[in-house]
Amino acid sequence: MTTIAKKLQELGHTLPPVKAPAANYLSYTLQGNLLIIAGQIGNPGTAKDGVLGAGGSVEAAHKEAQMAALRLLAVIDAVTGGDIERIAQVQRLGVFVAASHDFDGHSAVANGASDLFVAVLGERGRHARTAIGVSSLPTGAAVEVDAIVTLVEA
């Protein structure tokens, strides 16, 4: 059986360091086996050259969504004390895209996160999803992704 860590390695990914919350909120809440993870951004400043639909690149934003998904996995790894195999199911992703009012490619951007979860976790990575456009995101990010995940009891 391929582990999540092995699958990440095969795909050429490493988990980034977990960042402390930027304001007065928690990075996650855990109630029983339900883990709710605050929004993670791919890289700060990526939308400064233009939001999607007004100069921003869908391909670059897709990669930012993928990076945000890796940051979500890093939080899960930290919450589980390195036992990321405890992921039972990714239940839901919320994907926020810095976009102009006429941009309609939100799903193409959000697929960066969705595809990564499915590639790494298989069926455990399949999830419900919301992808919406917003006028701006913290630190000028192009994409922010949050998640609801169920864990196997330790």
Side-chain angles (χ1 to χ4, degrees):
M1 181 173 141
T2 302
T3 66
I4 292 169
K6 178 80 171 158
K7 192 65 175 175
L8 283 165
Q9 183 181 36
E10 287 173 6
L11 294 170
H13 298 298
T14 57
L15 295 181
V18 175
K19 295 181 178 182
N24 188 18
Y25 64 91
L26 299 171
S27 296
Y28 68 90
T29 60
L30 180 62
Q31 180 67 41
N33 68 339
L34 183 65
L35 175 62
I36 301 171
I37 307 169
Q40 302 292 311
I41 60 174
N43 288 315
T46 54
K48 290 194 177 173
D49 292 331
V51 297
L52 281 292
S57 159
V58 171
E59 294 77 22
H62 182 274
K63 288 182 193 228
E64 291 305 313
Q66 184 179 67
M67 176 53 78
L70 287 169
R71 291 189 190 287
L72 289 165
L73 285 171
V75 171
I76 298 167
D77 188 56
V79 168
T80 61
D83 189 9
I84 197 168
E85 294 299 326
R86 285 185 51 209
I87 297 172
Q89 187 69 45
V90 176
Q91 299 294 338
R92 180 186 180 278
L93 295 182
V95 182
F96 304 88
V97 180
S100 65
H101 73 281
D102 58 344
F103 179 73
D104 65 1
H106 304 86
S107 291
V109 172
N111 281 342
S114 293
D115 293 348
L116 181 111
F117 275 109
V118 173
V120 171
L121 302 170
E123 285 302 308
R124 293 185 289 172
R126 297 189 61 76
H127 52 272
R129 182 180 83 190
T130 301
I132 61 171
V134 297
S135 63
S136 67
L137 288 166
T139 69
V143 181
E144 182 172 347
V145 184
D146 64 22
I148 300 173
V149 177
T150 50
L151 300 174
V152 174
E153 295 290 334

